Amino acid sequence: MTSSTSTRSRALWIALIAAALIGSAAFFIPAYIIRPFTRQSARGLVWAMAINQRAPLVSLLGALICFALAPLLWSSCGKWQKRLLALPLLAVAFSAVMSRLNYLEWMFHPVSNAQFEAESASRLDAKEMILAVRYGDDARAYPIRQMAYHHILNDVVGGVPIAVTY
């Protein structure tokens, strides 16, 4: 392999890895920041949502660049390098697909059939935080621990349909 071929191959590898990292980061950064049951700073959430909005385009461009560079690298690769070439291609292809899906919804499971008990039958710990709603003589209490997992619950309080969110 000549020096110019080696330099060209190195430049192609750097371009491929950079495109794969940027394309994959467009999916993985928001997915890491926006997780249930973890503290998220307001600034981090703003960044995650901004990246998430651009992720479909950025990850697609990263994938297109990677898949355009792969054939150029293939002929100059050894056996182990060809196997290594598959890793960034898989990562960026996975990211391009996942960034088009609303994977954030998968993290939260809806309450299919809410069950309520009388206060006297409740087994909540005294320190457990609740979200309370009162309308007229009717009242409900929703444990924050459950609402943080499900995020939304449809209910009727005092004959009025409500959506409880957290």
Side-chain angles (χ1 to χ4, degrees):
M1 188 184 301
T2 66
S3 176
S4 65
T5 306
S6 173
T7 304
R8 180 177 179 264
S9 179
R10 187 176 300 121
L12 289 174
W13 272 105
I14 290 170
L16 179 115
I17 291 169
L21 285 174
I22 292 168
S24 297
F27 164 70
F28 283 106
I29 288 173
Y32 178 77
I33 293 173
I34 306 169
R35 292 173 297 158
F37 307 114
T38 60
R39 184 183 181 309
Q40 297 138 357
S41 69
R43 187 175 182 178
L45 205 51
V46 166
W47 272 100
M49 293 308 291
I51 294 168
N52 192 45
Q53 287 176 342
R54 291 159 182 84
L57 178 61
V58 172
S59 63
L60 178 63
L61 289 175
L64 290 174
I65 291 168
C66 287
F67 280 92
L69 294 174
L72 300 174
L73 282 166
W74 189 262
S75 61
S76 65
C77 285
K79 187 175 182 179
W80 68 270
Q81 288 175 323
K82 288 179 180 176
R83 290 182 182 153
L84 186 64
L85 185 59
L87 294 176
L89 295 175
L90 287 172
V92 77
F94 173 81
S95 299
V97 170
M98 289 301 293
S99 66
R100 283 161 177 67
L101 303 174
N102 192 356
Y103 60 89
L104 298 174
E105 279 185 1
W106 301 349
M107 295 182 207
F108 309 107
H109 305 283
V111 179
S112 56
N113 56 347
Q115 304 286 322
F116 295 98
E117 348 180 281
E119 181 183 358
S120 59
S122 173
R123 293 180 294 268
L124 292 176
D125 185 70
K127 294 180 183 177
E128 176 121 25
M129 293 176 31
I130 61 166
L131 186 84
V133 176
R134 175 181 292 280
Y135 187 77
D137 293 335
D138 199 5
R140 297 276 196 278
Y142 310 94
I144 295 292
R145 180 173 33 92
Q146 291 294 318
M147 291 304 299
Y149 182 70
H150 295 288
H151 289 275
I152 191 161
L153 173 82
N154 294 319
D155 196 8
V156 178
V157 179
V160 177
I162 64 169
V164 182
T165 64
Y166 177 77

